[in-house]
Amino acid sequence: SMSVVLSFELAGRVARLTLNRPAAKNALRPEDWQQIATHLFDIQQRSQVRAILVSGAGGAFSSGGDLKTMPERLALPVAVRREQLIRDSKVIQTLHELDLPVVAAIPGVCMGAGLSLALACDLRVCADTATFGAIFHRVGLSADFGLSWLLPQAVGASNAMHMLMTAAVLGAEEAKASGLVQAVVASSDVEQTALGWCEKLA
C-alpha cells in the first residue's frame, strides 16, 4: 500500500480500498483524492480484479472534505482552486463510471464529499449506527464532488433538495428508506456483508 492513509489489498478477485485516517474520521484532503485515483488506475490494470470494496477504518466511512486544509486552499488563486477541485472531483466520476462493480461498506459517519464517494459506488451497506448528510450548507458551500447529480439519482429530486437545503442528518433506517443504502446490518457485520456481495459479484 502506498500509505497508511489509504490502504489497498487484494483478496482473491476483490480489491479492497480502505480510507484510513480514523483520528480525522477519514476526512479527505486533496492528496487523499489523488491517492484514490492512483489506486483506481492501478486496479483497472489488474485483470484478476472483478469487484471493489470501498470502506473506512475506525468506525467511520468519511466525514467529508478535510476542513482543516481549507485555509491553505482558500489562500490559493481562484483559478488554481477551481483546477484542483475539478481534478479531485474527477475521482468520483472515474469511480462511478468504472467497469467493475463497487460496493461501499459504511460503518459510521458518511457526510459531505464522503457521501459523494459512497454514492459513486454501485451498492452500499451500512451499520445500524451510520449517519448520512449532505451538510455543505452548514459551512456555506454548495454540494460538490458530484453530489448534486449523484444524490437525486439515489433518493429522487425532492428528497435530495431537502437534504441539501436543510443539511439534515439521516440515520441508517432513514437512509435505507430513502434509497441511500440497500442494506442495514449490525456494525460487526458491515465489512463481511459488503465483502460477501463483492465475492458474489466477482
Side-chain angles (χ1 to χ4, degrees), residues 2 17 21 35 57 71-72 75 88 122 125-126 134 149 157-158 165-166 171:
M2 281 166 54
L17 271 183
R21 283 181 76 209
Q35 219 173 81
E72 61 202 65
D88 295 345
D122 299 303
V125 54
C126 79
W149 187 83
S158 51
M165 285 187 158
T166 62

Side-chain angles (χ1 to χ4, degrees), residues 26-196:
N26 304 322
L28 294 151
R29 303 162 299 183
E31 61 262 37
D32 302 326
W33 287 109
Q34 287 317 299
Q35 219 173 81
I36 294 171
T38 303
H39 282 307
L40 291 178
F41 182 77
D42 177 33
I43 286 166
Q44 285 175 290
Q45 314 310 306
R46 298 171 187 255
S47 57
Q48 80 266 37
V49 174
R50 307 301 299 144
I52 302 172
L53 172 61
V54 179
S55 64
F61 183 72
S62 172
S63 56
D66 193 341
L67 295 179
K68 286 202 174 78
T69 61
M70 204 56 99
E72 61 202 65
R73 280 187 278 162
L74 289 174
L76 297 167
V78 171
V80 176
R81 264 165 52 206
R82 177 172 304 183
E83 216 166 282
Q84 274 189 3
L85 192 59
I86 289 170
R87 180 199 67 190
D88 295 345
S89 301
K90 278 230 161 71
V91 180
I92 293 290
Q93 195 174 350
T94 302
L95 186 60
H96 178 70
E97 291 174 356
L98 220 55
D99 285 337
L100 294 166
V102 186
V103 178
I106 304 167
V109 67
C110 181
M111 301 282 170
L115 180 58
S116 299
L117 185 66
L119 290 175
C121 301
D122 299 303
L123 299 170
R124 288 160 293 284
V125 54
C126 79
D128 50 18
T129 50
T131 52
F132 300 83
I135 54 175
F136 298 88
H137 284 189
R138 288 191 189 176
V139 288
L141 295 174
S142 59
D144 53 19
F145 285 88
L147 198 71
S148 52
W149 187 83
L150 290 166
L151 192 57
Q153 296 287 318
V155 303
S158 51
N159 281 338
M161 191 70 88
H162 179 255
M163 281 184 73
L164 286 167
M165 285 187 158
T166 62
V169 172
L170 274 55
E173 290 303 336
E174 263 184 300
K176 185 171 186 284
S178 71
L180 277 181
V181 299
Q182 285 68 57
V184 177
V185 297
S187 294
S188 51
D189 298 334
V190 178
E191 200 85 7
Q192 220 33 62
T193 303
L195 193 56

